[in-house]
Amino acid sequence: MTTWRKRTAVLISGRGSNMQALVERAREPSFPAEIALVLSNRPEAAGLSFAKSQGVACAAVDHKIYAGREEFERSMQALLDLHRIELICLAGFMRLLTPWFIGQWRGRMLNIHPALLPAYRGLNTHERALADGVKIHGCTAHFVVPAMDEGPIVAQAAVAVLDGDTPATLAARVLEQEHLIYPAALERLAGGSLHILGNRVFCDDETEAPAALRNPAD
Ligand code: GAR
């Protein structure tokens, strides 16, 4: 059994394409994390079928049956403990988390967001970017802190906004970049090369940044 790989849970709510990208990258023998659990707050999440088909342990904790957020999170935490999870990747997990839960995972929980933070926190990022007429959009992998979409940034990728873009076409190009930067961010966190100083994240091997962590325009 390989024990050096960080046992990582991916939390999803739906399609799970980022989870799929993480599972696929983590198949590489030298990748420093293994996806040990896929957890959904929606039992019907499409991503669960993919995880099952890959032999990845998966579970659903249906938020609707709990009286409050913290009861729901305590059930998730029990499962995370049971599976000896060390790191968490939120991947399209559409529930706000309480400061209690976030505190359990400080410095050990990442999120992928479909915008270049700190621009466009929250929902409908592609629609809002198009409405504002921005020419550059993108995605961000960041540490999770109690303030929504505000944690220290690990990686970003920029995408040019094209004249003919609709929210769907823009989302599709941004998603391609999400699938590159999120596994690269997990690789660095699990490999122990990230350091948080204030709101900045430094990486020991910055000189050898993988292409996915660089601005595609470089
Ligand atoms: C992704 O675009 C992700 O960045 C976004 O939801 C989508 C999930 O897709 N997350 C958020 O908006 C979180 N605020 P996926 O289920 O195919 O990974």
Side-chain angles (χ1 to χ4, degrees), residues 130-166:
L130 286 175
D132 285 345
V134 299
K135 298 297 184 194
I136 302 285
H137 188 45
C139 53
T140 303
H142 64 97
F143 283 99
V144 177
V145 298
M148 190 185 69
D149 298 332
E150 282 195 26
I153 291 171
V154 179
Q156 293 187 301
V159 166
V161 179
L162 307 178
D163 287 350
D165 265 332
T166 63

Side-chain angles (χ1 to χ4, degrees), residues 54-177:
Q54 301 300 301
V56 178
C58 44
V61 178
D62 187 348
H63 66 273
K64 291 197 287 295
I65 68 171
Y66 293 89
R69 284 189 193 275
E70 204 160 314
E71 289 89 337
F72 159 66
E73 290 173 352
R74 285 191 188 276
S75 282
M76 286 206 302
Q77 183 65 46
L79 268 175
L80 295 165
D81 290 343
L82 190 68
H83 287 266
R84 305 187 319 281
I85 297 302
E86 298 166 281
L87 301 175
I88 291 179
C89 287
L90 304 181
F93 184 72
M94 304 310 265
R95 296 292 296 168
L96 286 178
L97 294 166
T98 65
W100 172 76
F101 186 83
I102 292 170
Q104 307 296 307
W105 295 95
R106 192 168 166 213
R108 299 189 296 146
M109 178 157 60
L110 297 175
N111 181 44
I112 183 79
H113 183 75
L116 288 173
L117 293 173
Y120 304 116
R121 296 180 175 123
L123 298 175
N124 305 317
T125 55
H126 310 303
E127 288 83 346
R128 288 156 59 207
L130 286 175
D132 285 345
V134 299
K135 298 297 184 194
I136 302 285
H137 188 45
C139 53
T140 303
H142 64 97
F143 283 99
V144 177
V145 298
M148 190 185 69
D149 298 332
E150 282 195 26
I153 291 171
V154 179
Q156 293 187 301
V159 166
V161 179
L162 307 178
D163 287 350
D165 265 332
T166 63
T169 60
L170 186 55
R173 287 204 311 291
V174 170
L175 194 64
E176 276 176 29
Q177 296 301 319

